[in-house]
Amino acid sequence: MDVLVVGAGPAGGRLARHLAAAGVRVMLVDRLDDLARAAFSSAAVPQSAVEGLALPEEVIAARWRAWHLVGPAGRARVWRSSRPLGAVLDFAALRRWQADEAAALGARVVLGWRAVASSHCGGRMRTWLRHGRGGRLVSVASRWVIDASGEARALLGDPDRRRAPLVVGLGVEWLLQVGMAQWQPWAERLSFFLGSSWVRRGYGWVFPMAPGLLKVGICRLEPELPSGCEPLQAELMGLLARLDLAQAPVLDRHGGRIRSSIRRREDHGLGHLLGLGDAVSTANLLGGEGIRHAITSADVLAPLLLEGTDPARLARRYAAQLRQALGWRWSLSGRLARRTWLSLVSGAADQRLERLLSALERRRAEDLSALLFDYRFERYGLRVLPYLAGG
């Protein structure tokens, strides 16, 4: 085996597909025995990602053309476009599609196995995999091991807290079945609920899926990982009640967390073990967005692996090229996320947020997409700088 990829999420599946297409012997393993399970991701992407990633219709649940932001005082603002601005993805379908594509190109896809340890042995990497939670152990030898296990960092482990402290985001999301009369007001728009009266240290959302289906969720940033997630459930139920959705049948309940460093200074590899996607903090905390950036990390790493360079040099080039691909605005957006969500616990913070929303009212829907997806803060000049500075 040339490359073992641990984790069949957007990053791992994408990398396995790239490498298999180039003739590399790849094994893609995932702890889930069904990639449709644990499909926690709000999965909203801009139109540029839909086109640039050549996503098939089978992974697109809905398209959207409007932003709907409800502020701390309950005032709703809507920005509309005459053309689609993006899509809401079916996250489970995306994972399955990428795994199927990799398999069709020759990758070996193994589900229901989790990686528990990996080490360098005799010029190769040896990785121990366990079937299920208490099943048998097997070892796999490969030249490279890619930790694409997400924020858990199953093989790489957490970075040094002094060098790259992690900010934690917790989320819970329910898939609701509603009548068409209830679904229609949410169709073709991304709806966010902002302010401490909605969610303290976070935000809520409603995204349309197929007709009659809605994703409703909340995400909250934490200064440190709490012992439990029960308050999230309570806040989500409060959001549902305020939106008159509390009686809708729940088809699926899922949740998860993201952990990402703000400046991405962690090591990207240890010898022939390399991190990918959320394992090297590609999740952006401003909007809890991870899919596009995880895929970017796979697109950056694949050609470097194909070159077969020295591990230390490869890790340095990988980190540098990924920083360049994500752009300088990445760090700024991370600081804005930390300031926005962690401080959103008081009336003063709500007032700052309300002033920012008011400053954006005259902008186009496309401008809002550029701000929230591409982090084009410089377009807003003095409107955004006082908010960053706490004005």
Side-chain angles (χ1 to χ4, degrees):
M1 190 64 56
D2 295 323
V3 181
L4 171 65
V5 181
V6 176
R14 178 83 166 189
L15 182 67
R17 186 166 170 254
H18 278 319
L19 296 179
V24 176
R25 292 184 304 151
V26 183
M27 177 185 287
L28 175 64
V29 302
D30 196 275
R31 64 182 180 84
L32 298 175
D33 53 17
D34 179 1
L35 294 180
R37 289 175 46 214
F40 176 67
S41 174
S42 53
V45 296
Q47 186 62 25
S48 59
V50 176
E51 297 168 358
L53 299 176
L55 298 176
E57 285 297 321
E58 68 191 80
V59 310
I60 296 175
R63 297 184 184 273
W64 55 276
R65 63 178 69 238
W67 290 96
H68 172 218
L69 306 185
V70 182
R75 179 184 172 189
R77 298 172 172 88
V78 179
W79 295 258
R80 294 184 178 88
S81 174
S82 60
R83 58 184 180 84
L85 294 175
V88 179
L89 304 182
D90 182 329
F91 188 60
L94 174 66
R95 290 196 297 197
R96 286 196 303 261
W97 171 69
Q98 290 201 142
D100 290 345
E101 286 278 300
L105 291 166
R108 182 182 175 191
V109 178
V110 181
L111 302 180
W113 292 78
R114 65 178 66 235
V116 296
S118 188
S119 62
H120 196 267
C121 180
R124 303 276 286 175
M125 294 295 292
R126 184 163 295 278
T127 304
W128 291 93
L129 306 176
R130 183 183 297 278
H131 187 255
R133 291 195 173 274
R136 62 191 178 94
L137 281 170
V138 300
S139 66
V140 176
S142 61
R143 183 184 179 197
W144 296 96
V145 176
I146 310 300
D147 187 347
S149 63
E151 60 82 22
R153 297 166 169 84
L155 298 176
L156 270 181
D158 288 351
D160 185 336
R161 293 181 63 182
R162 295 167 297 180
R163 182 179 180 187
L166 298 177
V167 178
V168 180
L170 298 177
V172 60
E173 183 178 67
W174 289 1
L175 180 64
L176 306 182
Q177 184 174 32
V178 298
M180 291 302 294
Q182 275 189 302
W183 179 81
Q184 194 60 48
W186 307 103
E188 295 194 324
R189 59 172 61 182
L190 298 186
S191 300
F192 290 94
F193 303 88
L194 311 171
S196 62
S197 65
W198 293 102
V199 180
R200 289 169 63 84
R201 300 195 304 276
Y203 54 93
W205 66 85
V206 176
F207 290 174
M209 297 286 280
L213 298 178
L214 296 174
K215 282 184 175 183
V216 184
I218 63 171
C219 181
R220 187 173 67 208
L221 256 64
E222 300 286 352
E224 59 184 23
L225 187 61
S227 57
C229 300
E230 287 304 314
L232 287 181
Q233 301 282 353
E235 285 189 284
L236 177 57
M237 293 177 69
L239 176 64
L240 291 171
R242 292 178 67 177
L243 300 180
D244 197 25
L245 293 170
Q247 302 305 313
V250 182
L251 302 182
D252 188 35
R253 294 176 171 87
H254 43 251
R257 69 179 185 180
I258 59 174
R259 295 188 302 156
S260 191
S261 63
I262 298 298
R263 299 181 183 274
R264 302 194 62 259
R265 289 177 175 170
E266 60 260 54
D267 292 329
H268 285 46
L270 299 170
H272 284 80
L273 170 62
L274 299 167
L276 191 70
D278 288 357
V280 287
S281 295
T282 57
N284 191 285
L285 296 165
L286 183 59
E289 186 190 6
I291 291 177
R292 287 187 304 144
H293 312 309
I295 288 176
T296 294
S297 70
D299 292 346
V300 170
L301 181 57
L304 296 175
L305 284 173
L306 293 175
E307 290 178 14
T309 53
D310 170 75
R313 182 169 181 265
L314 188 153
R316 290 194 299 270
R317 292 179 63 197
Y318 172 39
Q321 290 183 23
L322 185 54
R323 281 195 296 271
Q324 183 178 15
L326 295 175
W328 63 267
R329 298 177 185 86
W330 187 271
S331 177
L332 180 58
S333 68
R335 296 199 301 274
L336 179 57
R338 183 169 54 189
R339 168 162 186 78
T340 300
W341 307 129
L342 288 181
S343 67
L344 200 56
V345 295
S346 66
D350 284 342
Q351 290 173 11
R352 286 198 303 270
L353 184 57
E354 187 67 35
R355 287 197 296 270
L356 177 63
L357 293 173
S358 295
L360 298 175
E361 283 184 353
R362 296 184 180 180
R363 293 288 180 166
R364 302 178 306 148
E366 290 82 358
D367 295 331
L368 212 61
S369 291
L371 173 66
L372 298 176
F373 280 119
D374 299 326
Y375 322 120
R376 299 281 179 178
F377 306 112
E378 70 274 16
R379 291 187 180 184
Y380 298 86
L382 296 178
R383 290 181 175 87
V384 171
L385 289 177
Y387 182 74
L388 289 171

